[in-house]
Amino acid sequence: MMCKKNKNSRGATFSSRTATEPEKLENRVAECLDAKGITAVTAGISGGADSVAMLLLLKKCGIRIQAVHCNFHLRGDESERDRDFVKALCHRVGIRLTVVDFDVKAYMEANRVSVEMACRELRYAEFRRIMRENRSDRIAVAHNADDNAETVLLNLMRGAGVAGLRGISQDSGEIIRPLLGVTRDEILLYLESKDETYVTDSTNMSSDFRRNFLRNEVIPLLETRWPGARKSICHTASIMGQEKKMLDWTERLLSDNDDRILTFEAIRKCPDSRWIINRFISRFGGTPSQSGEIAASLETVPFQSGKQWSVPQGRIVLERDRLEFSIRNNDSPSASCEEFDTDCDTLGLALHSPLSELWTSLPPDRITFRNPETGDRIKPLGMTGSVAVSKVMKDARLSQIQKEDVMVALDTDTGEIIWIDGLKRSRLALVAPDTPRCYRYIRAGGSRQKAL
């Protein structure tokens, strides 16, 4: 029976019949590259099973490949064997190859790093250089699912958080790992199906290196008690990757605003409102139980604007459209004073002064500066009668925190409020032509309110 042939986006053909295991692997790699729009790679090839399989799979995808083999000259004749094997392989399959030689010991001495770190830094620096020269889309390396499990365990032993427990990234934007979801056993079966050989690094059998210790001793021991331990570890890494994306999204969301503010809009966008509230208040020492209380308050209709929660660094205040962190300010407000002779110039300055300045005939011993108190009223300039200071603040749409920070000026002889910093001026105690002296007061630290 004839099998119908189809083409993927790269023009490679595959059968409409049930795919074989090698074909499934080839399709997975092709889909990984297609999803990223990758058409050219600089591929690191050691000659081991993983890199040989990756090279063949990349070749099958029909993309442009520049292979790179790094010779660290650490294993004597074995290093030369690996180099010759990779040369022969690339020549046979028709892939361009660059061989790079390194003096690892000199680099270790100059930079005071371990042999593992030296080899890593040297090879990736060279990969990046060659990638730029060849205008490749990515550096391709052959890390697989087993490597990922080992990395998670290594990071766990270092006490890593979510970022470390997510393991290896499949695509960093610079480096792609098309085999990351493929186990080492699947790779060996693929090479066997293609009748391909590979070289083995004898140092991999030694458990002196931490990764080899995990690979050769720890993970096999775990598998005896928990079959499929590698798969479970990789699944956990995948979950941690999703968690890291959520954390990154949250940090971007929070950084888009004042870091002391969490808007209700941001809370609504988050799939888990309590999670983002906890993330916000924990920055200031808030607790999960407080997060629950805040979330419950937001669900109350109507919710109580102005409600507060004390946290070690200050307080969290529930405003009309946001949560806001504030450091409690117990200092009494104050103002600086300048004295002037009353003349045409000062009259003009007083007449056109902004509401952040108080021009008055009252000397410093006649004025008290303080925060608003219940029952305070002001007789606004240009109006008859009086209005509550609380209404002025409400009309200005001040938050609870802003209201608490408002400064007023009180005529100590009459008890009249003559100025609300940045908001209102009274028609009392104005500068007049017959006033021999006048005074300008400005809040210490500058006005903190918006003018109406």
Side-chain angles (χ1 to χ4, degrees):
M1 181 180 72
M2 293 291 292
C3 292
K4 181 180 178 181
K5 299 287 183 178
N6 298 311
K7 289 189 176 183
N8 64 13
S9 62
R10 301 185 183 281
T13 59
F14 59 91
S15 173
S16 61
R17 61 177 169 75
T18 302
T20 63
E21 291 305 315
E23 287 171 335
K24 288 179 182 178
L25 185 51
E26 290 165 357
N27 289 339
R28 283 169 67 182
V29 172
E31 288 167 3
C32 173
L33 299 177
D34 277 337
K36 304 294 182 179
I38 296 171
T39 60
V41 297
T42 293
I45 309 299
S46 67
D50 301 339
S51 67
V52 170
M54 182 185 74
L55 186 69
L56 297 175
L57 288 162
L58 293 174
K59 176 72 174 178
K60 186 74 174 180
C61 291
I63 66 172
R64 178 167 58 86
I65 304 167
Q66 170 62 58
V68 182
H69 175 74
C70 297
N71 191 345
F72 298 109
H73 297 280
L74 294 175
R75 295 178 287 115
D77 292 342
E78 196 173 279
S79 293
E80 308 309 309
R81 176 209 65 183
D82 293 355
R83 177 201 61 200
D84 294 341
F85 174 84
V86 172
K87 281 184 175 180
L89 172 65
C90 290
H91 177 74
R92 174 165 57 86
V93 298
I95 292 176
R96 292 185 306 164
L97 172 68
T98 298
V99 176
V100 186
D101 296 282
F102 295 109
D103 186 343
V104 178
K105 292 180 180 178
Y107 187 87
M108 290 170 60
E109 292 174 2
N111 295 275
R112 297 182 180 181
V113 294
S114 67
V115 63
E116 293 171 286
M117 185 59 67
C119 291
R120 174 183 173 80
E121 291 178 358
L122 286 167
R123 70 172 174 266
Y124 277 106
E126 199 63 21
F127 288 162
R128 291 184 177 101
R129 180 187 68 80
I130 295 172
M131 179 183 71
R132 290 192 297 269
E133 286 182 355
N134 289 272
R135 298 182 179 179
S136 301
D137 298 319
R138 297 287 196 283
I139 296 166
V141 293
H143 292 128
N144 58 44
D146 291 45
D147 295 320
N148 199 20
E150 293 156 13
T151 297
V152 172
L153 289 179
L154 278 173
N155 291 341
L156 180 64
M157 294 302 101
R158 295 188 184 111
V162 172
L165 296 183
R166 65 178 172 166
I168 304 171
S169 171
Q170 183 167 56
D171 182 19
S172 70
E174 178 187 50
I175 301 168
I176 191 162
R177 299 172 174 89
L179 301 185
L180 193 63
V182 182
T183 66
R184 190 166 285 118
D185 286 344
E186 290 176 305
I187 289 170
L188 295 176
L189 286 173
Y190 179 76
L191 292 175
E192 183 181 349
S193 73
K194 300 297 180 180
D195 199 24
E196 288 287 347
T197 58
Y198 53 90
V199 294
T200 301
D201 184 342
S202 60
T203 63
N204 287 340
M205 304 306 297
S206 169
S207 294
D208 291 342
F209 295 116
R210 290 171 296 179
R211 184 175 290 275
N212 288 354
F213 175 69
L214 291 173
R215 178 183 302 160
N216 300 331
E217 300 186 38
V218 175
I219 293 180
L221 181 61
L222 290 174
E223 292 275 5
T224 63
R225 179 61 63 92
W226 294 282
R230 289 180 179 88
K231 184 177 179 180
S232 296
I233 294 169
C234 288
H235 180 63
T236 296
S238 177
I239 293 172
M240 290 298 101
Q242 295 171 349
E243 291 292 320
K244 183 61 170 61
K245 288 180 181 178
M246 191 66 186
L247 288 171
D248 291 343
W249 176 84
T250 302
E251 289 304 320
R252 287 194 299 271
L253 189 67
L254 294 176
S255 64
D256 285 343
N257 302 294
D258 186 326
D259 61 4
R260 299 167 302 170
I261 292 172
L262 177 63
T263 65
F264 291 172
E265 181 183 6
I267 295 173
R268 285 193 296 268
K269 286 181 179 178
C270 184
D272 188 332
S273 60
R274 295 196 180 199
W275 184 91
I276 195 172
I277 292 170
N278 186 63
R279 185 77 179 173
F280 172 68
I281 71 169
S282 65
R283 302 160 84 179
F284 312 109
T287 65
S289 63
Q290 288 177 316
S291 300
E293 291 175 13
I294 294 170
S297 294
L298 290 176
E299 293 168 1
T300 303
V301 181
F303 65 82
Q304 184 182 348
S305 178
K307 192 172 181 180
Q308 302 183 18
W309 290 264
S310 294
V311 293
Q313 297 181 34
R315 58 186 170 153
I316 305 294
V317 182
L318 181 60
E319 300 289 3
R320 290 186 301 270
D321 59 352
R322 65 188 183 275
L323 293 171
E324 185 169 346
F325 168 76
S326 171
I327 298 174
R328 290 189 182 275
N329 184 10
N330 297 319
D331 297 332
S332 298
S334 61
S336 61
C337 176
E338 290 183 86
E339 185 176 354
F340 297 87
D341 290 328
T342 304
D343 53 26
C344 291
D345 290 337
T346 55
L347 284 171
L349 289 172
L351 180 63
H352 298 96
S353 63
L355 285 173
S356 58
E357 299 178 4
L358 169 62
W359 284 81
T360 179
S361 59
L362 300 182
D365 60 359
R366 280 277 306 275
I367 292 185
T368 297
F369 295 98
R370 61 168 173 77
N371 298 118
E373 296 178 356
T374 303
D376 281 347
R377 300 185 71 82
I378 189 172
K379 297 174 180 177
L381 180 63
M383 296 174 59
T384 59
S386 65
V387 63
V389 172
S390 60
K391 184 178 189 309
V392 174
M393 295 190 294
K394 181 179 180 181
D395 290 345
R397 299 184 64 81
L398 299 188
S399 69
Q400 181 63 32
I401 292 172
Q402 289 172 321
K403 290 176 183 177
E404 294 173 7
D405 195 45
V406 167
M407 181 178 79
V408 300
L410 176 75
D411 182 339
T412 53
D413 283 2
T414 65
E416 294 280 358
I417 300 294
I418 64 170
W419 178 57
I420 307 173
D421 176 28
L423 297 176
K424 283 291 183 187
R425 176 65 171 94
S426 167
R427 59 181 180 268
L428 305 177
L430 299 172
V431 177
D434 58 352
T435 305
R437 306 290 288 170
C438 63
Y439 304 87
R440 178 173 68 177
Y441 300 91
I442 300 176
R443 178 171 183 160
S447 178
R448 304 177 194 179
Q449 311 306 332
K450 61 183 180 179
L452 285 179

